[in-house]
């Protein structure tokens, strides 16, 4: 049952504009913009302060995987907060839920990835992985082996370092980034491959990009390659078949560590707790996780490293001088345990595997609209790329983009009852990642609203 709380919407909006700094808004436009203030949620739906109901097409921010309003997660939080809300994780100090969750988590990790370092979210998980890779090479006396290879359009977070290994052009304005040891290779986006090139040849070329970059820098200087198995906020990009496995093999060949950023692809999004091995047949050296790890009920992230990387520190003087006050927070760990219980008891991964073909088929009906260029994704994770001309794949100019995306699409979708991301600052890709409890009813609703609003968008062009 939703709590029946009344809000003064106008007062909240005024206070919001006066005092909140929002991530990723055009700061110059804040004064004229009406914030979307969401105050209640249940199942796959959220409600704004005016009481309007919206289907949450992107699980909050790719994270509310078990759906909203889970009483047992709320109970687990309350119980843990009453028993012991917090204690330091620094040094040889533990708390029962964090220990239990690390143990259960490693039952799902591939190969020998059995060491878990808890963080506060995805950015801090990736930041920890990158810092650990440098620490590891310093320990082994490989002081030159520090370069990190990443990809254009990647998104790995918002700390200085994780923003530097990200590659979305729209995020880079007015920002300083680390460039000394970070190198970007082209994004493996099959939709944008050269005209007439086969998928196999495109895959060869993208794998070669990585090998060429390693050879250009020198294998003894390259520490790691970081990759989301499928790129999420960079536009839901699904690399060509075999790309993940072949890039992982290249890393093995040149003794380059492979960091698989599963912040989005984990926890059921593709029908598995982790997709690296099960879907892409790779055993990374490090997996980073967050978001669905707690289904968004409380912040938590994890860097999970292989035993091979963690075992050699036996000289009695090697401190990994890195950690967060709230890393492995007991309340978040209790949430994560309750969340994993739901996954196991309700078979959410099997549900995703079963329903994924229906989600695809439902969305693919949108190809009837000329504005829809490409529908791509897997599991419960899809992107719809909008184009000006489907035959030529021509995209929108700045003016059209401004009018269609910023000026129309996102708000029109909200008003029609669908919350999802229609990237208003970069590539025009509608991103979809509904809670994993969704089924045909929700797919039909997503289709119906998108059909109506995208049809309207086509006419605006
Ligand atoms: N890695 C990936 C693949 C992400 O999509 C994100 C966030 O969207 C992050 C890392 C950063 O996670 P957080 O926002 O929890 O810091």
């Amino acid at each position: 049952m939703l709590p029946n709380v009344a809000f003064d919407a106008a007062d909240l909006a005024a206070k919001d504009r006066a005092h909140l700094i929002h991530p990723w808004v055009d700061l110059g436009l804040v004064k004229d913009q009406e914030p979307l203030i969401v105050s209640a949620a249940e199942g796959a739906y959220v409600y704004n302060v005016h009481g309007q109901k919206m289907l949450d097409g992107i699980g909050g921010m790719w994270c509310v995987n078990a759906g909203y309003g889970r009483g047992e997660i709320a109970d687990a939080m309350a119980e843990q907060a009453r028993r012991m809300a917090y204690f330091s994780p620094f040094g040889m100090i533990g708390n029962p839920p964090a220990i239990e969750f690390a143990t259960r988590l490693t039952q799902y990790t591939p190969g020998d990835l059995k060491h878990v370092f808890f963080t506060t979210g995805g950015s801090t998980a990736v930041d920890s992985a990158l810092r650990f890779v440098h620490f590891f090479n310093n320990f082994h006396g490989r002081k030159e082996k520090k370069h990190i290879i990443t990809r254009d359009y990647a998104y790995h977070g918002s700390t200085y370092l994780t923003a530097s290994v990200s590659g979305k052009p729209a995020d880079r304005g007015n920002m300083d980034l680390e460039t000394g040891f970070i190198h970007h290779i082209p994004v493996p986006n099959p939709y944008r491959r050269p005209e007439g090139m086969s998928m196999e040849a495109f895959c060869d070329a993208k794998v070669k990009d990585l090998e060429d970059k390693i050879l250009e820098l020198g294998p003894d200087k390259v520490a790691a390659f970081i990759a989301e198995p499928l790129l999420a906020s960079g536009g839901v990009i699904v690399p060509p078949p075999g790309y993940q496995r072949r890039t992982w093999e290249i890393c093995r060949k040149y003794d380059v560590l492979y960091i698989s950023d599963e912040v989005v692809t984990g926890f059921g999004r593709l029908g598995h707790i982790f997709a690296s091995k099960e879907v892409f047949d790779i055993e990374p050296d490090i997996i980073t996780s967050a978001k669905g790890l707690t289904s968004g009920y409380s912040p938590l992230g994890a860097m999970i490293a292989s035993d091979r990387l963690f075992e050699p520190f036996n000289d009695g003087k090697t401190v990994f001088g890195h950690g967060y006050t709230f890393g492995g927070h007991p309340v978040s760990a209790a949430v994560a345990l309750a969340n994993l219980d739901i996954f196991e008891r309700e078979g959410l991964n099997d549900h995703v595997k079963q329903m994924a073909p229906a989600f695809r088929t439902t969305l693919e009906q949108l190809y009837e609209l000329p504005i829809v260029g490409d529908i791509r994704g897997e599991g419960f994770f899809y992107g719809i790329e909008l184009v000006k001309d489907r035959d030529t794949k021509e995209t929108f100019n700045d003016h059209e983009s401004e009018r269609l995306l910023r000026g129309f699409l996102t708000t029109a979708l909200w008003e029609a009852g669908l919350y999802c991301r229609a990237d208003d600052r970069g590539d025009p890709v509608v991103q979809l990642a509904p809670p994993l409890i969704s089924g045909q009813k929700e797919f039909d609703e997503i289709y119906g609203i998108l059909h109506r609003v995208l049809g309207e968008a086509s006419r605006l062009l």
Side-chain angles (χ1 to χ4, degrees):
M1 266 299 279
L2 284 173
N4 187 13
V5 181
F7 292 96
D8 181 339
D11 179 55
L12 280 175
K15 287 175 183 161
D16 181 300
R17 282 196 294 263
H19 299 295
L20 260 68
I21 304 172
H22 289 267
W24 276 283
V25 292
D26 187 327
L27 298 175
L29 298 179
V30 164
K31 286 201 169 39
D32 308 317
Q33 263 181 5
E34 188 63 25
L36 169 69
I37 307 177
V38 176
S39 54
E42 194 169 44
Y45 292 87
V46 296
Y47 299 78
N48 71 12
V49 276
H50 303 286
Q52 188 210 343
K53 183 178 178 183
M54 278 182 288
L55 175 56
D56 185 355
I58 189 151
M61 176 66 96
W62 325 83
C63 60
V64 187
N65 294 7
Y68 295 96
R70 294 285 194 167
E72 69 190 272
I73 299 186
D75 291 345
M77 290 172 94
E79 202 179 311
Q80 182 58 43
R82 277 198 201 93
R83 186 179 307 126
M84 183 194 70
Y86 176 77
F87 198 68
S88 164
F90 285 21
M92 259 327 265
I93 296 173
N95 67 72
I99 296 167
E100 290 300 340
F101 184 56
T103 308
R104 278 179 65 189
L105 193 58
T106 53
Q107 288 164 9
Y108 289 98
T109 45
D112 70 340
L113 272 81
K114 303 294 174 204
H115 278 76
V116 182
F117 181 87
F118 282 125
T119 71
T120 54
S123 303
T124 48
V126 175
D127 210 299
S128 301
L130 296 170
R131 294 198 73 203
F132 175 75
V133 162
H134 281 183
F135 168 83
F136 176 82
N137 280 338
N138 284 334
F139 174 82
H140 287 290
R142 302 190 291 207
K143 310 248 178 240
E144 304 268 281
K145 202 168 166 62
K146 295 292 168 57
H147 290 262
I148 308 288
I149 301 177
T150 181
R151 298 171 301 181
D152 296 331
Y153 288 90
Y155 183 74
H156 296 294
S158 273
T159 64
Y160 204 108
L161 188 52
T162 57
S164 302
V165 294
S166 297
K168 289 170 66 183
D171 293 345
R172 306 200 135 217
N174 291 319
M175 288 293 198
D176 286 351
L177 298 164
E178 168 60 43
T179 52
F181 61 86
I182 291 170
H183 309 269
H184 289 74
I185 56 173
V187 64
N189 183 357
Y191 183 60
R192 295 284 170 198
R193 70 187 186 276
E195 182 76 35
M197 185 185 257
S198 72
M199 199 65 123
E200 292 73 22
F202 180 64
C203 189
D204 292 346
K206 293 304 104 185
V207 173
K208 188 168 178 309
D209 286 343
L210 175 62
E211 185 158 24
D212 287 352
K213 184 55 82 181
I214 294 174
L215 293 173
E216 177 198 320
L217 296 166
D220 54 334
K221 298 213 169 39
V222 181
F225 174 54
I226 178 161
E228 301 155 78
L230 308 182
L231 291 90
S233 50
V236 186
I237 292 163
V238 181
Y243 171 88
Q244 295 87 350
R245 170 82 195 185
R246 290 178 60 195
T247 46
W248 173 75
E249 285 168 353
I250 294 285
C251 290
R252 279 277 178 280
K253 178 170 166 192
Y254 295 107
D255 188 24
V256 168
L257 296 176
Y258 190 108
I259 304 170
S260 182
D261 184 354
E262 290 228 41
V263 165
V264 171
T265 53
F267 277 81
R269 202 40 62 211
L270 305 185
H272 300 273
I273 294 295
F274 294 110
S276 292
K277 177 73 185 164
E278 311 271 8
V279 182
F280 303 106
D281 196 23
I282 58 173
E283 280 185 21
D285 300 285
I286 297 176
I287 288 179
T288 49
S289 180
K291 294 191 189 268
L293 195 66
T294 56
S295 280
Y297 282 71
S298 188
L300 186 69
M303 159 184 90
I304 311 158
S306 78
D307 292 346
R308 182 175 73 87
L309 300 187
F310 257 88
E311 268 159 11
F313 302 113
N314 51 11
D315 63 354
K317 51 184 182 201
T318 308
V319 174
F320 182 40
H322 175 86
Y324 305 96
T325 299
F326 294 144
H329 193 288
V331 174
S332 298
V335 166
L337 282 168
N339 183 50
L340 192 53
D341 285 344
I342 291 173
F343 266 78
E344 290 174 350
R345 195 183 59 239
E346 297 185 7
L348 287 184
N349 286 322
D350 287 342
H351 172 72
V352 170
K353 283 191 278 250
Q354 249 166 36
M355 294 305 294
F359 192 32
R360 179 187 289 273
T361 312
T362 308
L363 291 178
E364 282 181 348
Q365 297 174 77
L366 291 166
Y367 273 127
E368 18 178 279
L369 300 170
I371 197 174
V372 170
D374 192 28
I375 300 175
R376 53 186 181 243
E378 291 193 22
F380 276 21
F381 176 73
Y382 271 84
I384 300 171
E385 180 158 346
L386 308 178
V387 287
K388 194 161 147 183
D389 181 329
R390 182 147 70 206
D391 293 334
T392 62
K393 301 184 184 175
E394 186 187 348
T395 194
F396 310 104
N397 62 35
D398 285 352
H399 172 69
E400 289 158 343
S401 220
E402 177 78 22
R403 206 155 58 99
L404 176 73
L405 300 175
R406 203 196 298 255
F408 173 73
L409 199 52
T410 301
T411 328
L413 288 170
W414 291 356
E415 282 166 4
L418 177 64
Y419 177 75
C420 66
R421 283 175 87 186
D423 198 338
D424 57 0
R425 295 163 314 105
D427 290 333
V429 178
V430 178
Q431 302 172 4
L432 294 166
L436 309 182
I437 50 168
S438 304
Q440 192 60 52
K441 174 181 152 296
E442 287 77 16
F443 302 160
D444 288 342
E445 199 173 330
I446 291 172
Y447 163 78
I449 294 175
L450 283 176
H451 191 271
R452 220 165 52 242
V453 174
L454 294 180
E456 177 76 7
S458 307
R459 288 189 284 282
L460 278 180
L461 280 176

